[in-house]
Amino acid sequence: MIIQDIKVFVTNPGRNFVTVKVITDEGVYGLGDATVNGREMAVATYLEEHVKPCLIGRDPHKIEDIWQYLYMGVYWRRGPITMAAIAAIDMALWDIKGKVAGLPVYQLLGGKCRDGVTLYAHANGETIEDTLDKAAQCIEQGFSAVRLQSAIPGLSETYGVLGDKKDYFELQGNRPLPPEQDWSTSKYFDLVPELFAKAKERFGNKAKFLHDTHSRLTPIESAKLGKMLEPYNLMFLEDASIAENQENYKLIRHHTTTPLALGETYNTIWDCKDLIQNQWIDYIRSAATHAGGITGMKKIADFAAVYNVRTAPHGAPDLSPICFAAHMHLNISTHNFGIQEFVGFGNEECQSIFKHDMKLENGMILVSDAPGLGVEFDEQEAAKYEYKRSYLPVSRLEDGTLWHW
Ligand code: GCO
Ligand code: MG
């Protein structure tokens, strides 16, 4: 069997997705997700121009060798564009191997080590009451863990909160230039402890709660936030500070017992090696699309297991249902899996393009038993929704100083 062709599709059913199809001479094909939000055309070109020509004629079963060929074999290693391209090819090759074997990918990864994949849902509100009402709906639907985000009084817009948007999917949709948003740590600190105090008061132990700070704090501010939230037993506090300098987390860790999570933008194990090895974090949030596919994620998860760090893959709409399916196969077969983020299966248009039979039941996903990854991609439907340039917001302090994303 050889790789005969590779096709790259960019489609926008409300937001952009980059999809790769690896086609073999025997008619079997595999699908992968290469979406890098705001940089979709960079990765599509990388795949077309720099990956496809090198893979035609190769054996699609040699997954590890092809991974190393695209990673170790090149002068320019790593980085989000390269790693998303590798990831998409890698997912497609696992998909092909599963289809040839007649087995779902999780069987090839060692088989199930749990019955289903536990999810955390999102509750995003304009006020604390609004956020908690949305959390109540999530709990009623059966979710045992919920991320709480609430608009910050005194700031015009807060990232991750809906405003006039219908849902999270749309919030991230089509903005041809980056909007700018204010940030104030002191206004944020006035809100967050109250949000979790009220959540505890209203829900007690009915659910676990999580929170994402989107890297807006300095390390000492993160340490303080962790301490302030200790009474409320969060499942984790995500992206409190940026960790380009991984040692930032040494300081945070030494001040608080609130569990810490990080890594949705990480591309390889090198971005989190010190964080994991020093046990400065509790959850690693890397995603298959952004960290080198199933092969890249396995390397990170196995390393993390040695240091009691669990996986909690990114599950925002930045990732297509192909990546979500890859996560399900990993999550069900990885012993040190922690929890999966979930924001729904996307809008109707998205669901008309990416078809699958993953089932949501009581806050858990029941993984598909279809051979391969278990996702179909409707090329004709996808062609109806053209690429649109789109950006995430930029953030600034109230005096205009540019701040962390
Ligand atoms: C998450 C992410 C999202 C981001 C998004 C950017 O944890 O789900 O941080 O909240 O906003 O991934 O597109
Ligand atoms: Mg996040």
Side-chain angles (χ1 to χ4, degrees):
M1 181 182 270
I2 59 162
I3 297 174
Q4 194 172 54
D5 196 9
I6 297 178
K7 288 189 176 155
V8 183
F9 306 87
V10 185
T11 177
N12 187 322
R15 60 168 303 132
N16 294 311
F17 291 117
V18 182
T19 301
V20 171
K21 183 173 184 182
V22 176
I23 302 160
T24 68
D25 59 335
E26 294 183 18
V28 184
Y29 64 86
L31 298 169
D33 176 32
T35 307
V36 179
N37 68 47
R39 298 291 184 272
E40 296 86 357
M41 300 317 274
V43 68
T45 307
Y46 188 102
L47 279 157
E48 290 277 10
E49 183 61 23
H50 304 298
V51 173
K52 173 177 164 175
C54 307
L55 296 188
I56 305 291
R58 288 182 190 274
D59 176 359
H61 279 303
K62 294 172 85 173
I63 299 179
E64 180 70 23
D65 184 68
I66 289 178
W67 197 93
Q68 297 294 354
Y69 176 78
L70 296 172
Y71 178 84
M72 185 189 276
V74 300
Y75 184 70
W76 300 107
R77 285 192 195 195
R78 304 168 60 191
I81 305 301
T82 299
M83 296 312 292
I86 294 179
I89 298 291
D90 182 79
M91 284 180 217
L93 299 184
W94 280 101
D95 195 20
I96 290 172
K97 202 184 273 300
K99 285 173 179 165
V100 171
L103 292 170
V105 167
Y106 75 78
Q107 294 291 18
L108 309 179
L109 298 174
K112 285 190 186 177
C113 52
R114 55 187 54 81
D115 303 330
V117 173
T118 303
L119 308 167
Y120 70 89
H122 281 204
N124 304 305
E126 294 305 310
T127 61
I128 290 180
E129 285 325 302
D130 182 23
T131 304
L132 298 185
D133 288 347
K134 290 189 172 132
Q137 289 167 15
C138 298
I139 295 168
E140 230 163 80
Q141 287 161 26
F143 289 98
S144 59
V146 188
R147 178 181 109 161
L148 306 181
Q149 307 291 132
S150 196
I152 302 167
L155 294 184
S156 54
E157 237 190 286
T158 316
Y159 189 72
V161 173
L162 297 181
D164 59 355
K165 305 291 184 303
K166 284 198 297 290
D167 59 27
Y168 203 62
F169 193 83
E170 189 190 327
L171 178 79
Q172 305 215 330
N174 304 305
R175 288 176 295 198
L177 285 174
E180 303 211 354
Q181 297 180 341
D182 297 336
W183 178 257
S184 155
T185 297
S186 59
K187 288 179 179 158
Y188 171 70
F189 275 7
D190 284 344
L191 169 97
V192 179
E194 195 188 334
L195 171 64
F196 285 92
K198 292 217 164 124
K200 192 165 168 65
E201 212 176 277
R202 180 156 164 189
F203 302 110
N205 286 329
K206 271 197 204 143
K208 293 175 186 145
F209 294 107
L210 309 90
H211 182 65
D212 190 347
T213 305
H214 291 114
S215 311
R216 304 277 161 87
L217 305 181
T218 63
I220 196 67
E221 289 168 348
S222 292
K224 189 172 169 63
L225 178 64
K227 272 192 155 174
M228 291 194 290
L229 296 178
E230 274 170 25
Y232 313 118
N233 280 328
L234 264 64
M235 180 167 189
F236 62 62
L237 170 62
E238 177 191 343
D239 280 347
S241 291
I242 205 92
E244 271 170 317
N245 175 2
Q246 297 183 36
E247 272 203 315
N248 284 347
Y249 273 73
K250 181 176 183 179
L251 183 149
I252 303 169
R253 185 62 146 187
H254 286 175
H255 282 93
T256 181
T257 55
T258 292
L260 302 169
L262 212 64
E264 66 186 38
T265 59
Y266 292 177
N267 309 132
T268 73
I269 200 155
W270 300 106
D271 296 329
C272 48
K273 177 183 158 284
D274 298 349
L275 292 166
I276 292 174
Q277 206 165 22
N278 291 301
Q279 305 193 25
W280 290 333
I281 57 170
D282 301 277
Y283 293 88
I284 179 71
R285 298 209 358 96
S286 47
T289 298
H290 301 133
I294 291 174
T295 301
M297 291 284 273
K298 269 187 65 58
K299 292 181 197 300
I300 294 174
D302 288 342
F303 181 67
V306 178
Y307 299 99
N308 305 306
V309 174
R310 290 194 281 165
T311 62
H314 190 202
D318 306 39
L319 305 150
S320 92
I322 300 171
C323 175
F324 191 76
H327 286 170
M328 293 310 110
H329 292 280
L330 281 159
N331 295 339
I332 201 90
S333 60
T334 299
H335 186 258
N336 59 320
F337 162 71
I339 195 157
Q340 171 67 53
E341 181 181 23
F342 181 67
V343 292
F345 289 123
N347 62 9
E348 259 175 47
E349 292 87 341
C350 176
Q351 294 190 46
S352 73
I353 296 174
F354 300 96
K355 294 171 184 147
H356 56 80
D357 67 356
M358 289 179 274
K359 294 204 172 39
L360 172 63
E361 231 178 75
N362 259 329
M364 281 183 135
I365 293 283
L366 304 180
V367 182
S368 165
D369 268 320
L373 291 173
V375 182
E376 282 306 322
F377 177 71
D378 188 325
E379 292 175 36
Q380 271 154 15
E381 267 309 294
K384 290 188 195 160
Y385 308 101
E386 267 175 36
Y387 164 75
K388 290 193 193 123
R389 190 177 72 233
S390 174
Y391 287 99
L392 291 171
V394 165
S395 101
R396 290 187 187 272
L397 301 182
E398 287 169 296
D399 70 355
T401 306
L402 196 92
W403 201 236
H404 300 290
W405 180 81

